[in-house]
Amino acid sequence: EAAFLATRGCPFSCNYCYHIFGQGVRYRSMERVLAEMELLKDQYGAGALLIADECFTARKDFVKELCAQMIERKLNLEWMCYSRVDTIDAPMLEAMARAGCNWIGFGLESGSPAILKAMNKKTTPDKMLAAIRLARQYMGVSGTMIFGYPGETDATVRETVEFCAEAQIRPTLFYLQPYPGTQVYEAHKDKIIAKCGSLPQYFEQLNDAGDFVVNLTDWSDDEAFTKWQQTASTLHTMSVLQHWGKQGIRLLTGEGEA
């Protein structure tokens, strides 16, 4: 498997995103994208590709043309991509599936309307659910969630868990890391520095949101960390039960183990 970029940037304005390539999208030429795909397959033996663009599906005409060219050139590659729920439709998904796309990952981030609004996601749980169900007709689907956004409460966490249960999806559950330059960082910079000691000390702790770094909820740090871990455990349990049914219950309880 190999990863590459067909585009750089994202046209959306989520408050937690640091826009590593800046606002807006820059598109590589179709020929260069296809040439790199062929290089990765023929010279490096890649049988599967991750198109690691922030939002590969931002422009439907680009995606459909690329898919048509992949089919015409008989690339015969399996591939995956990242997307937003408000950038897909059935004709594009069908073209992607025919060109070898077998997985799409959505940035979902919360099942709570209030948290989605605070994040400036410009979507709703109902729209996310519809997109997941549509995409699942053509390919595998997964998503990400962010725990601990300012305003997170037991009620908003419950909404996220209930959404995942209805969508039958087990997301990767990150803890919010307010990266410098983001709106959520600027809004809470004083609190972040007070909690971490200094700006350099905060920078030293930042990573890819896989760790608990700073708590911007009204819970204590211990409460926030515990609730994050409990939510991750709940989502895992739901996933096992949804996928394995009664066998999943035995796996979770240890029944039937030698």
Side-chain angles (χ1 to χ4, degrees):
E1 181 180 312
F4 79 106
L5 296 175
T7 69
R8 287 184 174 183
C10 176
F12 301 98
S13 302
C14 301
N15 291 343
Y16 54 84
C17 186
Y18 51 87
H19 291 291
I20 188 170
F21 294 118
Q23 191 77 37
V25 183
R26 289 172 288 162
Y27 289 83
R28 298 175 63 193
S29 72
M30 193 67 61
E31 186 57 39
R32 284 183 178 272
V33 172
L34 290 162
E36 185 168 348
M37 286 181 165
E38 290 173 335
L39 176 72
L40 291 169
K41 176 186 177 183
D42 298 337
Q43 187 167 327
Y44 295 97
L49 299 177
L50 170 62
I51 301 179
D53 304 24
E54 292 178 67
C55 185
F56 173 65
T57 55
R59 214 178 83 195
K60 295 182 179 66
D61 61 333
F62 178 85
V63 174
K64 288 192 282 189
E65 177 60 23
L66 178 59
C67 291
Q69 291 292 327
M70 291 176 69
I71 293 169
E72 183 176 327
R73 297 191 186 203
K74 297 181 171 60
L75 289 184
N76 297 321
L77 284 166
E78 293 184 347
W79 53 280
M80 304 161 282
C81 69
Y82 302 127
S83 179
R84 274 178 60 110
V85 298
D86 52 0
T87 63
I88 62 166
D89 60 20
M92 185 178 68
L93 290 168
E94 183 179 2
M96 291 166 61
R98 285 192 286 104
C101 183
N102 60 9
W103 176 90
I104 190 168
F106 291 119
L108 303 170
E109 317 315 1
S110 179
S112 165
I115 298 296
L116 289 171
K117 184 176 181 181
M119 291 176 167
N120 197 37
K121 282 294 291 182
K122 297 183 178 178
T123 191
T124 66
D126 286 344
K127 290 179 180 178
M128 296 194 307
L129 184 61
I132 290 169
R133 288 172 172 169
L134 176 62
R136 197 171 273 145
Q137 296 176 37
Y138 300 93
M139 59 198 64
V141 179
S142 67
T144 58
M145 291 286 186
I146 296 174
F147 189 96
Y149 206 82
E152 191 89 272
T153 64
D154 289 339
T156 63
V157 172
R158 189 177 308 111
E159 288 175 315
T160 294
V161 171
E162 290 173 351
F163 171 84
C164 292
E166 187 172 4
Q168 296 188 332
I169 194 167
R170 182 197 173 189
T172 302
L173 186 66
F174 295 108
Y175 198 95
L176 173 71
Q177 290 198 16
Y179 294 103
T182 63
Q183 293 182 51
V184 68
Y185 171 82
E186 293 299 331
H188 299 275
K189 182 164 55 177
D190 292 344
K191 184 175 183 180
I192 292 168
I193 294 173
K195 281 179 171 284
C196 296
S198 69
L199 206 53
Q201 288 177 303
Y202 177 58
F203 288 170
E204 288 174 1
Q205 297 177 61
L206 289 175
N207 59 20
D208 63 354
D211 291 335
F212 180 93
V213 175
V214 63
N215 169 30
L216 298 182
T217 72
D218 290 334
W219 296 313
S220 70
D221 289 355
D222 287 343
E223 286 175 324
F225 181 81
T226 299
K227 289 176 186 292
W228 176 39
Q229 296 299 298
Q230 289 174 338
T231 303
S233 177
T234 298
L235 293 172
H236 171 68
T237 301
M238 288 193 321
S239 176
V240 171
L241 294 176
Q242 289 166 354
H243 186 75
W244 294 101
K246 291 182 179 180
Q247 185 179 352
I249 297 175
R250 292 193 292 272
L251 289 169
L252 291 168
T253 60
E255 294 179 9
E257 291 184 355

